[in-house]
Amino acid sequence: MVTIELLRRALKLELPDVPFDDEVLEHLAPVDPEAVDALQAWLPFLISHGVAFDEESAGEVFRRLAQRLRSLARPEEARPSSPQPRQPEIPEETEKESVQIPGLEEWLETLSLSAYLPKTRAWCSRVGASTLQQVMEKWEDLAAELLLKELPKRRMGKAVEACRPPAAGDDRTIADLIARASAERRLFGPEDDPYILSEQLGKGAQGTVHRCWRPKHKGEEFAVKRIALQKHFRLQRDADRTKERLKAEANILFSLRHAHIVQLFDVIETKEWLYLVMELVEGGELFDIIVKHENKHLSEPEARSVFKQVADALRYIHSKGLVHRDLKPENILVDQKASRDGLLEVKITDFGYAKLVDDGYSTALTQVGTPQYWAPEVSDAGVCAKGYDERVDLWSLGVVLYVMLEGVYPFSGEEQIKQASFRFHRPTSSRAKDLIRALIQVRPEDRLGLDDCLKHSWIQMDSRSASALKPNSLEGDIECFDLDAEPSNVAELRRELQKFMTRFKVSAQLKKRQVEVTWSKNVDREAARGALLQILRCSQHRSQCKQGRADAIPSLLAASEATCE
């Protein structure tokens, strides 16, 4: 029998950078790793957590994990213990409450102050610091609280100073800032206009998210998703395929320009790292807002405002032929600066599992995302193998609304999901219940569409959130390049388009014998068009050669200036 604690230890040793929450552990602990069907139970979770991309790679990870579980289950032989290094003496902490701040543990570790983590967390609770940035702003108070001696105190001060963009009147030159960041290996991007990596904001299955800024742009700040390529690929055999999936996320984000979707600005690849530079949204995840709410759930006006923004963003995503596939409160960020009058402004993030399904070349077939938000056609492996479409996001949207209003998940098992069987535990209004039930429907065709969601009586009943949605002023210019024939090698053409995307920082997506480009403001369109036409000419020439017309001269591709519908 595998206990939850044993499973947690095995995962920490075998997959140290991959977080598995307690609900997943409770679901998997009863599974006998020696059973014939054990891999099938683990398969969707290994894929959804980004450590495998198919059954073969999941099997390799699972075999290592099963071996680790067997070794941990054996009683260890008694052996003399080696002396442990003496830890600094820390006054015993009396504070009962503490907060979990992304990046805090890692930051203290870099300062050789890991032993002070419990006391630091308690101090954060007391002073109301909920982000690493707020901790750094009060670092001198923290140093005094921890009774730090002069050397570690100076070390903390220097670390804070290094992460801080220059303020007005700061006498540090740009060259000084860049030189110091380079020496500390916190520099990335082009040599003539680099980014400086700052404190960690969060951590996920694929990598870490940090604050970063550009010295030559008056300290303009961004968030950067930083993925260790070599470390990530040790878990998977097909490194090239994994890298393509990460770049596909970037290509999707470059094509999306919407007020309620986190914007991607830059993609930088080195031998060791892949950096996705994105809009900095400060306010945390919607999930944390819900669980920390005084009522442990949102009020109906609060939930209504969030729902409307998310539904509008989803409508835009689906209009691009995309499925998000991992919609949940953890992937909805709160924009604290833009929030007003007790109503939250939010943005959808994390398109790592998004899929382009309306391109004429691919279908969504895999179990990815988070099981608590899976639609029945995703949770059932047999049905999933036949394919699904954007209506899986409608189910997830209904679950998100339920979680916002109820503060708990609607389902406790797969059978309940298959039957869409759930109950309400709070005095939620009848109109809100009606909208949730209209979305959480077993048959995809029975789910309420997004246009009808935004016209629903529950949405219209509050004048504050029933006002017209903001026009989407962020949408970039779209240009379509027609192909004379079907590409002979779709995967190869997509790889070339991803290289084009990395070079010019624009989205280029293959859709039904067209390549759709979403232009950004600062791109050199003439140079980009020339490079893209060359890629497409080569692709068309290969197609003609494969069809036995090697001596045929490819016709010039028509570059349509018209906006794609």
Side-chain angles (χ1 to χ4, degrees), residues 88-91 107-108 111-117 119-120 138-157 160:
E89 290 185 10
I90 302 173
W107 183 63
L108 289 174
L111 299 173
S112 301
L113 297 174
S114 296
Y116 291 89
L117 180 60
K119 188 173 177 65
T120 302
K138 300 178 180 179
W139 75 270
E140 290 175 299
D141 294 342
L142 174 60
E145 174 73 16
L146 301 180
L147 303 176
L148 294 183
K149 294 182 179 179
E150 191 59 32
L151 185 60
K153 183 179 178 180
R154 279 209 310 268
R155 194 162 61 237
M156 182 180 284
V160 171

Side-chain angles (χ1 to χ4, degrees), residues 194-473:
Y195 296 89
I196 292 180
L197 200 68
S198 189
E199 78 270 18
Q200 182 175 310
L201 301 175
K203 188 175 183 179
Q206 291 182 338
T208 54
V209 178
H210 296 254
R211 187 188 301 268
C212 70
W213 52 284
R214 264 187 150 160
K216 294 186 178 181
H217 292 253
K218 299 180 180 179
E220 185 180 4
E221 292 186 298
F222 307 90
V224 58
K225 188 174 184 178
R226 184 172 180 247
I227 301 149
L229 298 179
Q230 301 302 323
K231 187 175 184 179
H232 194 62
F233 292 157
R234 279 208 303 268
L235 302 175
Q236 303 180 12
R237 290 175 60 189
D238 194 345
D240 291 336
R241 185 172 173 181
T242 305
K243 195 182 294 185
E244 283 177 26
R245 185 168 62 81
L246 294 170
K247 288 185 178 179
E249 177 186 2
N251 205 350
I252 286 171
L253 278 170
F254 268 131
S255 73
L256 300 177
R257 294 288 184 269
H258 191 277
H260 299 298
I261 297 174
V262 173
Q263 191 170 347
L264 178 70
F265 295 115
D266 207 348
V267 176
I268 294 160
E269 182 182 352
T270 68
K271 187 176 180 180
E272 296 179 337
W273 301 95
L274 181 67
Y275 298 90
L276 305 182
V277 181
M278 299 174 286
E279 175 184 6
L280 178 63
V281 182
E282 297 185 277
E285 299 171 357
L286 177 62
F287 181 85
D288 292 327
I289 299 295
I290 296 170
V291 298
K292 292 177 182 177
H293 198 282
E294 58 182 353
N295 298 319
K296 302 301 180 185
H297 66 93
L298 302 188
S299 68
E300 292 206 13
E302 290 170 326
R304 184 182 294 112
S305 176
V306 171
F307 179 90
K308 189 173 184 182
Q309 296 168 63
V310 173
D312 186 48
L314 268 185
R315 182 169 59 175
Y316 171 78
I317 291 166
H318 291 175
S319 75
K320 298 288 187 179
L322 292 164
V323 189
H324 188 280
R325 301 203 294 179
D326 198 19
L327 185 68
K328 57 183 178 180
E330 293 91 331
N331 287 339
I332 299 171
L333 300 182
V334 176
D335 187 345
Q336 194 172 35
K337 293 179 181 177
S339 298
R340 295 286 186 277
D341 303 324
L343 300 181
L344 303 174
E345 282 285 316
V346 298
K347 294 176 184 280
I348 296 178
T349 187
D350 203 337
F351 285 76
Y353 297 122
K355 178 78 173 176
L356 183 62
V357 294
D358 191 27
D359 61 354
Y361 302 102
S362 58
T363 306
L365 299 169
T366 51
Q367 287 181 310
V368 297
T370 305
Q372 291 94 336
Y373 298 87
W374 277 352
E377 62 267 33
V378 180
S379 63
D380 187 316
V383 177
C384 178
K386 298 175 183 177
Y388 52 84
D389 58 24
E390 72 278 357
R391 290 173 294 187
V392 298
D393 287 341
L394 300 178
W395 173 285
S396 301
L397 180 62
V399 177
V400 168
L401 180 54
Y402 180 97
V403 170
M404 285 195 290
L405 292 173
E406 293 285 314
V408 294
Y409 295 122
F411 309 110
S412 58
E414 193 173 331
E415 284 305 313
Q416 288 185 330
I417 293 175
K418 288 179 179 179
Q419 300 172 24
S421 174
F422 61 93
R423 295 185 304 166
F424 292 93
H425 308 282
R426 300 185 186 277
T428 302
S429 71
S430 58
R431 292 183 183 183
K433 290 178 181 178
D434 179 74
L435 178 54
I436 292 169
R437 291 192 182 105
L439 286 165
I440 304 180
Q441 291 286 323
V442 173
R443 298 198 316 163
E445 58 269 29
D446 292 338
R447 293 169 201 157
L448 192 66
L450 291 169
D451 286 338
D452 291 329
C453 281
L454 293 168
K455 296 174 185 174
H456 192 274
S457 59
W458 184 71
I459 293 293
Q460 300 297 324
M461 66 187 294
D462 190 326
S463 59
R464 288 186 298 174
S465 64
S467 57
L469 288 160
K470 297 176 185 176
N472 187 24
S473 59

